[in-house]
């Protein structure tokens, strides 16, 4: 039975997850904050020797995590946790003198968890414990580093006993002269060649083609190591799995020269077009060999990364040598379509910014050649969208496709990917993220000098996703098989979507308001009640990001702000504060009591509300092309929205209650005011505004909205209704 001291020295999984959420929103590094505890620093008065007291520890956390109101009880639990020093896997109650915590241990622990390059972390931890600056660590100091790494690994779900053995073996290999010390060079070199340690420290990039992209994984079914061929055992994360090829090993076997990962490009132009298989060792799980049609025993077969065909080891060279890329052939950019060129050759042949060259970590510059009868998919993923959804989607696409065609938007945005595909005429784009991510990509396409503007599909992550709803991609990714999404992309249709320029000119240039978030409208623009709610939500999230870490919490916060807006009615008598002109014609607002104005490009807002509503078909009147502006109420009832008609719809809202009624279906629509191709709005007081969900507070100004261009979007096929009563 655990003692009370042991219980006090532990963090619950919920505590650890909460700590990770705080760290995700912090922009500071622990190596910068620790300076504040040194003589002359802001926290120096709370330091004594190697330790920091409880008050100093709390201030350290608030500074590092950039949170002013860090929960006091959570701070106390973390303080007690770091007071319990682990040695060789056993927790003791030996506390630092004076009742503080060892600052080095705290800093080492956080450095393991934060974003950063493994080599930087290894150098930082070494210098952290090298107290006398002699470029040497003794065995006790190394043990303290390993202890903090084990503590972090434990809460990340690793089998720490196995990892400890791996690290101990690494330290033994260093100390060839039995001196009991390790140099900085030995520490960094050993760490950079130790696969499990690199994964723990956050390695996300491979150094050269053929290296695995490892991650620690929990397996729900019997799984075998591809190196030693024994089963991976344990109740937690039992082994390392390659994101790209699913090659699986024990942690200790990852350092034993495992087979290489599949290639992602060819070394010369001579290999272009040679469609050969790339075989990797796989647990074929009694699947039949596609050459001899006999079952393949565990680890007795191989799988082609591109066509997914499985064969016995002895049947590898018996079947067809040519790879057809399997069911996803239309999407996959195979390695024989990407070749390496010299930098000099590339710069001579191409006139562009050399910083946009697609350069591998080992110095190869890559170019693509067109593939006949194929539409390779260029995938952009925002890993920050939808909580952890973005990261999972990124890994899945790196497995399903060539990792060279899957881009993490956190690493340089869309430009590198668009530049890499610039030589292709037949390709599609899939953007995985929210509406803001889609807008980011469309802006990047405008800026790139592309031969063609490729069609764009959307995999919606997170909440809202109004554009994805209009294009039938749904309101949010539910974790389903991404192969089905890829099938839907093939069956989708091309739809041009209008995009609009917006220019906001303040009446007084000296009157500084918030910065206008965008210069282009893709979805909608609004003034008043809905923008006020969004602005409150946005301001609170900026101040306390840790409170907005789930969909449910976000919805509850939004409901609270909507309720308070209903009570306070901050945008009452909006018609007295602004004037709207559509193509020079004034819109009459005098007969309505409105608290909000929405300018719509798409038939979805606020996560699925259709403010324009369904339209009535005129009786026995042929449909005619309408003029550039329509304000007649009866004619507006017959006007339908179309994202390709170069028209905007203007809708009035009576308040937050009406918004809720439209969202829940209790009311069909807002008040139709106009349909137009150009809008001018003048305001006489500061008002909340928003563009595509990004709010700001705007002083008196004049706003001009005009048509910019059209983007090529992909609309999914209508979902097929099932059941007798849905048949048409």
């Amino acid at each position: 039975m655990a003692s009370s001291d042991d219980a006090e020295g532990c963090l619950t999984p919920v505590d650890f997850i909460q700590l990770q959420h705080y760290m995700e929103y912090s922009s500071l590094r622990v190596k910068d904050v620790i300076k504040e505890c040194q003589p002359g620093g802001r926290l120096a008065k709370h330091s004594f020797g190697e330790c920091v007291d409880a008050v100093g520890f709390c201030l350290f956390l608030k500074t590092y995590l950039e949170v002013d109101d860090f929960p006091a009880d959570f701070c106390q639990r973390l303080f007690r946790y770091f007071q319990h020093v682990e040695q060789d896997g056993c927790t003791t109650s030996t506390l630092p003198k004076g009742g503080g915590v060892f600052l080095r241990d705290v800093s080492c622990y956080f450095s393991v968890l934060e974003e950063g390059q493994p080599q930087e972390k290894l150098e930082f931890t070494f210098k952290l414990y090298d107290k006398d600056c002699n470029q040497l660590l003794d065995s006790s100091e190394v043990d303290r580093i390993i202890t903090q790494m084990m503590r972090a690994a434990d809460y990340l779900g690793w089998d720490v006993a196995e990892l400890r053995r791996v690290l101990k073996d690494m330290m033994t290999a260093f100390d060839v002269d039995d001196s009991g010390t390790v140099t900085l060079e030995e520490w960094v070199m050993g760490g950079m060649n130790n696969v499990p340690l690199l994964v723990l420290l956050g390695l996300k990039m491979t150094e050269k083609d053929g290296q695995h992209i490892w991650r620690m994984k929990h397996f729900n079914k019997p799984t075998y190591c591809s190196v030693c061929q024994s089963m991976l055992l344990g109740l937690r994360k039992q082994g390392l799995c390659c994101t790209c090829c699913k090659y699986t090993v024990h942690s200790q076997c990852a350092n034993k020269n495992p087979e290489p990962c599949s290639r992602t490009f060819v070394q010369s132009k001579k290999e272009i077009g040679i469609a050969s298989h790339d075989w990797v060792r796989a647990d074929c799980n009694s699947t039949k060999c596609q050459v001899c049609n006999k079952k393949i025993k565990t680890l007795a077969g191989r799988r082609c990364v591109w066509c997914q065909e499985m064969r016995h080891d002895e049947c590898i060279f018996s079947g067809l040598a040519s790879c057809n890329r399997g069911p996803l052939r239309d999407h996959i950019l195979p390695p024989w379509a990407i070749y390496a060129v010299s930098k000099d050759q590339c710069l001579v042949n191409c006139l562009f910014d050399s910083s946009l060259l697609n350069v591998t970590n080992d110095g190869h510059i890559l170019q693509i050649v067109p593939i006949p009868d194929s539409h390779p998919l260029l995938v952009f993923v925002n890993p920050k969208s939808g909580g952890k959804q973005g990261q999972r989607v990124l890994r899945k696409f790196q497995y399903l496709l060539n990792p060279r065609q899957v881009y993490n938007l956190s690493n340089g945005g869309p430009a590198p990917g668009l530049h890499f595909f610039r030589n292709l005429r037949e390709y599609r784009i899939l953007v995985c993220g929210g509406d803001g991510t889609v807008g980011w990509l469309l802006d990047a396409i405008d800026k790139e000098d592309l031969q063609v503007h490729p069609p764009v599909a959307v995999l919606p992550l997170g909440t809202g996703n109004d554009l994805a709803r209009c294009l039938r991609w749904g309101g949010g990714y539910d974790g389903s098989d991404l192969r089905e999404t890829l099938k839907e992309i093939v069956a989708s249709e091309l739809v041009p979507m209008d995009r609009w320029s917006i220019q906001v000119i303040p009446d007084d240039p000296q009157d500084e308001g918030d910065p206008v978030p965008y210069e282009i409208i893709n979805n909608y623009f609004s003034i008043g009640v809905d923008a006020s709610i969004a602005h409150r939500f946005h301001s609170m999230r900026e101040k306390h990001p840790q409170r907005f870490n789930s969909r449910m919490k976000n919805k509850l916060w939004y409901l609270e702000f909507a309720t308070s807006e209903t009570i306070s009615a901050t945008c009452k008598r909006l018609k007295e504060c602004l004037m709207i002109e559509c193509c020079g014609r004034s819109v009459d607002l005098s007969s309505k009591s409105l608290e909000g104005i929405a300018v719509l490009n798409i038939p979805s807002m606020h996560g699925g509300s259709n403010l324009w509503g369904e339209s009535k078909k005129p009786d026995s009147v042929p449909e005619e092309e309408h003029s550039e502006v329509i304000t007649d109420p009866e004619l507006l009832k017959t006007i339908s929205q179309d994202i390709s008609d170069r028209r905007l719809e203007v809708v009035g809202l009576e308040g937050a209650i009406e918004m809720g009624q439209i969202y829940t279906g209790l009311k069909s629509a807002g008040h139709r005011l106009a349909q137009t191709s150009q809008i001018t709005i003048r305001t006489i007081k500061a008002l909340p505004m928003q563009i595509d969900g990004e709010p700001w507070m705007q002083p008196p100004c004049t706003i001009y909205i005009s048509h910019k261009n059209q983007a090529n979007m992909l609309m999914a096929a209508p979902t097929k209704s099932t059941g007798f009563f849905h048949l048409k």
Side-chain angles (χ1 to χ4, degrees):
M1 188 173 184
S3 69
S4 59
D5 285 341
D6 288 339
E8 286 185 352
C10 294
L11 289 181
T12 67
V14 174
D15 286 336
F16 185 75
I17 292 171
Q18 186 178 1
L19 180 61
Q20 284 185 305
H21 283 314
Y22 278 108
M23 292 183 68
E24 285 175 6
Y25 292 104
S26 175
S27 61
L28 297 180
R29 303 288 293 276
V30 69
K31 67 179 181 180
D32 301 319
V33 181
I34 197 175
K35 296 175 183 176
E36 296 290 342
C37 298
Q38 296 172 353
R42 189 166 54 89
L43 307 180
K45 63 181 180 181
H46 300 287
S47 303
F48 51 99
E50 296 182 32
C51 302
V52 64
D53 61 24
V55 175
F57 177 77
C58 185
L59 291 173
F60 176 88
L61 285 179
K62 290 181 178 181
T63 303
Y64 174 52
L65 301 175
E66 299 180 292
V67 178
D68 292 331
D69 58 347
F70 193 79
D73 58 335
F74 189 23
C75 185
Q76 291 172 4
R77 291 198 299 276
L78 285 170
F79 184 74
R80 289 194 297 267
Y81 173 67
F82 283 109
Q83 281 186 313
H84 289 67
V85 182
E86 295 180 13
Q87 295 293 340
D88 297 324
C90 298
T91 303
T92 67
S93 298
T94 304
L95 305 179
K97 293 180 180 180
V101 294
F102 291 112
L103 191 58
R104 286 188 174 89
D105 294 341
V106 174
S107 301
C108 182
Y109 182 91
F110 282 122
S111 72
V112 172
L113 295 176
E114 70 184 9
E115 292 287 331
Q117 293 300 320
Q119 183 168 342
E120 293 179 6
K121 294 183 180 182
L122 288 167
E123 292 174 353
F124 171 69
T125 54
F126 185 97
K127 294 173 182 176
L128 196 63
Y129 286 92
D130 182 18
K131 292 178 288 186
D132 52 8
C133 300
N134 65 350
Q135 299 292 299
L136 290 174
L137 293 182
D138 61 32
S139 58
S140 64
E141 292 168 331
V142 171
D143 281 342
R144 285 179 68 179
I145 296 177
I146 292 177
T147 293
Q148 296 310 317
M149 290 180 174
M150 293 302 99
R151 297 183 107 183
D154 183 38
Y155 279 96
L156 290 170
W158 288 48
D159 181 346
V160 292
E162 183 178 344
L163 181 60
R164 184 180 291 275
R165 287 195 299 271
V166 172
L167 296 182
K168 288 288 188 182
D169 290 343
M170 180 183 78
M171 301 313 303
T172 302
F174 288 162
D175 195 13
V176 291
D177 57 356
D178 292 326
S179 64
T181 60
V182 176
T183 68
L184 174 61
E185 184 179 358
E186 289 172 333
W187 172 249
V188 173
M189 183 180 297
M192 293 302 291
N193 286 289
N194 190 297
V195 173
L197 179 56
L198 289 174
V199 176
L200 176 62
L201 294 177
L203 180 68
K204 296 179 181 177
M205 301 290 289
T206 57
E207 292 299 318
K208 59 183 179 181
D209 205 40
Q211 281 191 341
H212 295 285
I213 301 179
W214 297 110
R215 73 182 186 98
M216 204 68 182
K217 186 177 178 181
H218 171 74
F219 299 92
N220 295 318
K221 62 181 181 179
T223 306
Y224 294 83
C225 174
S226 295
V227 173
C228 69
Q229 300 194 357
S230 58
M231 185 181 290
L232 276 67
L233 301 174
L235 298 177
R236 309 183 80 189
K237 294 180 179 179
Q238 307 102 319
L240 294 168
C241 180
C242 176
T243 296
C244 301
C245 70
K246 301 302 181 187
Y247 190 86
T248 303
V249 296
H250 288 107
S251 294
Q252 70 268 24
C253 293
N255 295 324
K256 298 178 180 178
N257 297 318
E259 295 181 14
C261 189
S262 56
R263 59 181 179 158
T264 58
F265 64 93
V266 294
Q267 298 292 331
S268 71
K269 206 168 183 178
K270 295 178 182 178
E271 300 174 76
I272 286 292
I274 303 175
S276 57
H277 294 283
D278 280 300
W279 301 104
V280 294
R281 174 73 61 193
D283 185 354
C284 298
N285 196 25
S286 299
T287 305
K288 286 187 177 181
C289 172
Q290 288 172 273
V291 174
C292 68
N293 208 32
K294 295 179 181 178
K295 286 187 178 181
I296 306 173
K297 295 181 180 179
T298 300
L299 293 179
R302 293 179 179 269
R303 174 181 58 84
C304 175
V305 172
W306 312 116
C307 68
Q308 304 301 317
E309 184 175 322
M310 293 187 180
R311 298 181 186 178
H312 286 106
D313 287 341
E314 58 270 22
C315 296
I316 289 293
F317 300 106
S318 302
L320 293 174
S322 179
C323 176
N324 65 4
R325 288 173 285 149
L328 302 181
R329 65 177 63 87
D330 195 44
H331 295 299
I332 291 176
L333 180 67
W336 55 86
I338 309 173
Y339 68 100
V341 297
S342 69
K343 188 170 185 178
D344 292 339
Q345 177 187 351
C346 192
L347 290 175
V348 167
N349 295 338
C350 306
L351 297 174
F352 48 75
D353 184 357
S354 61
S355 65
L356 292 177
L357 291 174
N358 194 290
V359 185
T360 66
N361 287 350
D362 55 347
H364 290 97
I365 298 176
L366 305 181
Q367 288 192 354
I368 305 176
V369 295
I371 311 167
D373 303 319
S374 180
H375 304 81
L377 188 67
L378 174 57
V379 181
F380 293 104
V381 182
N382 188 342
K384 297 180 180 179
S385 294
K388 299 293 183 181
Q389 267 193 330
Q391 297 175 16
R392 289 193 292 268
V393 166
L394 180 67
R395 290 196 300 265
K396 288 179 179 180
F397 276 123
Q398 286 175 331
Y399 169 66
L400 292 172
L401 307 172
N402 188 334
R404 299 285 174 193
Q405 66 188 105
V406 182
Y407 282 80
N408 182 338
L409 285 171
S410 295
N411 300 329
L418 293 172
H419 197 77
F420 188 40
F421 271 61
R422 71 191 181 282
N423 290 333
L424 299 186
R425 300 190 66 85
E426 296 289 336
Y427 69 99
R428 305 184 185 101
I429 291 178
L430 174 64
V431 54
C432 308
D435 287 344
T437 306
V438 179
W440 183 14
L441 173 67
L442 296 180
D443 288 347
I445 291 175
D446 283 346
K447 294 173 184 176
E448 284 289 322
D449 185 20
L450 301 175
Q451 297 184 52
V452 295
H453 280 200
V456 178
V458 183
L459 181 69
L461 303 179
T463 56
N465 301 308
D466 290 292
L467 180 55
R469 294 172 193 270
C470 298
L471 296 172
R472 302 191 190 128
W473 297 111
Y477 174 59
D478 59 4
S480 57
D481 191 342
L482 290 175
R483 294 179 183 86
E484 295 302 314
T485 301
L486 296 177
K487 290 179 183 177
E488 291 176 1
I489 291 174
V490 174
S492 63
E493 64 173 314
L494 178 64
V495 176
M497 183 187 76
D498 295 322
R499 304 179 73 224
W500 302 82
S501 295
I502 180 168
Q503 186 179 14
V504 181
I505 302 176
D507 291 352
D508 182 2
Q510 305 300 322
D511 192 358
E512 293 186 7
D514 300 331
V516 179
Y518 302 127
E519 296 178 354
I520 295 173
I521 301 171
N522 293 310
N523 298 357
Y524 55 83
F525 164 77
S526 67
I527 302 176
V529 57
D530 66 311
S532 176
I533 297 169
H535 188 257
R536 293 187 190 187
F537 179 91
H538 183 79
S539 299
M540 181 64 77
R541 186 169 58 180
E542 288 284 303
K543 189 176 181 180
H544 305 287
Q546 71 281 358
R547 299 181 184 177
F548 298 79
N549 51 26
S550 73
R551 289 186 184 183
M552 183 54 66
K553 284 184 180 179
N554 291 351
K555 289 180 178 179
L556 290 174
W557 276 110
Y558 203 90
L559 177 62
E560 179 177 326
F561 292 132
T563 303
S564 63
E565 175 62 33
T566 302
I567 296 171
S568 59
T570 60
C571 299
K572 198 173 182 180
R573 298 189 182 91
L574 183 66
K575 62 186 178 183
E576 299 175 4
C577 307
L578 57 78
M579 184 196 71
I580 303 175
E581 289 182 0
C582 295
C583 296
R585 185 186 304 178
S586 295
V587 177
D588 183 14
L589 304 177
S590 60
S591 60
K592 302 174 180 67
S593 177
L594 302 178
E595 293 185 22
I597 299 293
V599 178
L600 309 175
N601 184 47
I602 63 174
S604 182
M605 189 173 174
H606 308 140
S609 294
N610 185 351
L611 300 188
W612 189 254
E614 297 297 325
S615 298
K616 300 176 181 178
K617 287 290 182 182
D619 296 331
S620 64
V621 177
E623 190 171 338
E624 299 178 0
E625 187 168 338
H626 299 296
S627 62
E628 287 195 345
V629 57
I630 299 172
T631 56
D632 180 87
E634 292 303 315
L635 185 55
L636 284 173
K637 292 178 182 178
T638 67
I639 301 297
S640 298
Q641 282 186 281
D642 184 345
I643 64 174
S644 308
D645 62 358
R646 301 174 188 265
R647 299 288 188 275
L648 290 167
E649 286 73 39
V650 185
V651 178
L653 295 169
E654 293 181 1
I657 292 178
E658 185 182 45
M659 287 169 52
Q661 290 173 332
I662 296 171
Y663 183 80
T664 56
L666 295 176
K667 192 171 183 180
S668 60
H671 299 274
R672 296 187 180 188
L673 301 177
Q675 185 189 58
T676 181
S677 60
Q678 189 176 357
I679 299 177
T680 301
I681 302 174
R682 294 181 175 86
T683 64
I684 61 173
K685 63 174 282 189
L687 290 171
M689 303 181 184
Q690 67 170 334
I691 300 173
D692 294 353
E694 291 294 326
W696 80 101
M697 186 62 70
Q698 177 62 48
C701 66
T702 301
I703 301 166
Y704 300 98
I705 302 175
S706 58
H707 193 267
K708 176 179 174 62
N709 60 19
Q710 290 188 322
N712 292 329
M713 307 300 294
L714 289 173
M715 179 177 284
T719 55
K720 295 181 179 179
S721 301
T722 57
F724 175 79
F725 292 103
H726 291 93
L727 295 176
K728 292 184 178 180

